[in-house]
Amino acid sequence: MNRVMLISALLATLSLGACDRPTVVNVPATPVAVPGPAGPQGATGDTGYTGATGNTGATGKTGDGTTVVVMPPASAPAN
């Protein structure tokens, strides 16, 4: 019984060692582009269109000096 366990363990170890291992390939990193110096400044753009001025509203009527205050009716308390 001891030999059967020993032989089984040996076969399991050898069979695992015979498995294909993944091939690791080192790929060189691609060079990173480094920005160059800034170019010359471009021409100034055209000035935008200025909108038209609106009409002035009409002047209100002058008051006569009388003030009217309207009080709302008193409501009954809620029960």
Side-chain angles (χ1 to χ4, degrees):
M1 182 76 173
N2 287 339
R3 290 183 186 172
V4 173
M5 295 293 281
L6 182 61
I7 292 172
S8 296
L10 182 63
L11 286 175
T13 304
L14 292 176
S15 65
L16 289 176
C19 292
D20 290 336
R21 292 191 177 148
T23 305
V24 178
V25 178
N26 290 329
V27 179
T30 56
V32 178
V34 178
Q41 184 175 359
T44 304
D46 294 337
T47 304
Y49 174 74
T50 303
T53 305
N55 295 332
T56 304
T59 306
K61 182 176 126 182
T62 306
D64 59 3
T66 306
T67 303
V68 177
V69 177
V70 178
M71 300 295 291
S75 60
N79 288 347

